[in-house]
Amino acid sequence: MQTKEERAAYTKEWRAKNKDKRAAYKKEYGQTPTGRFGQHKSSTKQRGIEFLFTFEEWWAIWEPHWHQRGGLGHEMCMCRTNDEGAYEAGNVRIDTNVNNIKERHELEKVT
């Protein structure tokens, strides 16, 4: 049986030898619903916004729109109501990026 230190050394060596393989896997995995869920959860944490969805809850909202998601204006994103509160059921909707940006600008004019 390997010690913790031996396992760590083996892992470090394997990662160094397989950088291309790991990068390809990460890129492919990142496009899956599970990968996108993890990215969404991570990015909200970095932005200081609560993310209270389980994968199943998040996927139930996204699944009908999955083929339309993206970062272009006409593509879909998950929007919070009035850009406030947590990402959670009852406080989000799927809408175009353009509409999400318009809403944010309208809210900035009011405040």
Side-chain angles (χ1 to χ4, degrees):
M1 179 172 230
Q2 287 181 324
T3 66
K4 190 175 183 179
E5 292 78 20
E6 289 170 333
R7 181 70 185 161
Y10 170 81
T11 300
K12 185 177 182 179
E13 183 181 333
W14 186 90
R15 286 180 177 168
K17 288 180 183 176
N18 293 283
K19 285 182 182 179
D20 292 340
K21 191 182 221 181
R22 291 181 64 227
Y25 174 79
K26 281 183 177 182
K27 185 175 180 179
E28 187 177 315
Y29 176 76
Q31 299 304 314
T32 67
T34 307
R36 288 292 185 185
F37 173 78
Q39 290 169 1
H40 194 177
K41 190 173 182 177
S42 176
S43 72
T44 60
K45 184 177 181 179
Q46 290 172 355
R47 294 164 45 210
I49 302 169
E50 281 189 288
F51 187 90
L52 304 176
F53 283 118
T54 64
F55 173 77
E56 291 76 16
E57 293 167 332
W58 180 88
W59 182 239
I61 294 168
W62 261 119
E63 188 173 19
H65 311 281
W66 191 248
H67 64 284
Q68 299 170 307
R69 68 181 171 73
L72 299 178
H74 68 283
E75 294 174 325
M76 301 297 204
C77 65
M78 185 175 275
C79 314
R80 293 176 297 141
T81 303
N82 295 324
D83 225 10
E84 295 177 339
Y87 281 91
E88 63 182 328
N91 194 44
V92 298
R93 70 183 189 287
I94 303 298
D95 204 344
T96 64
N97 288 293
V98 167
N99 287 340
N100 191 34
I101 292 167
K102 280 182 186 177
E103 179 182 15
R104 186 171 57 236
H105 288 305
E106 289 171 9
L107 290 168
E108 286 172 358
K109 286 180 187 177
V110 173
T111 57

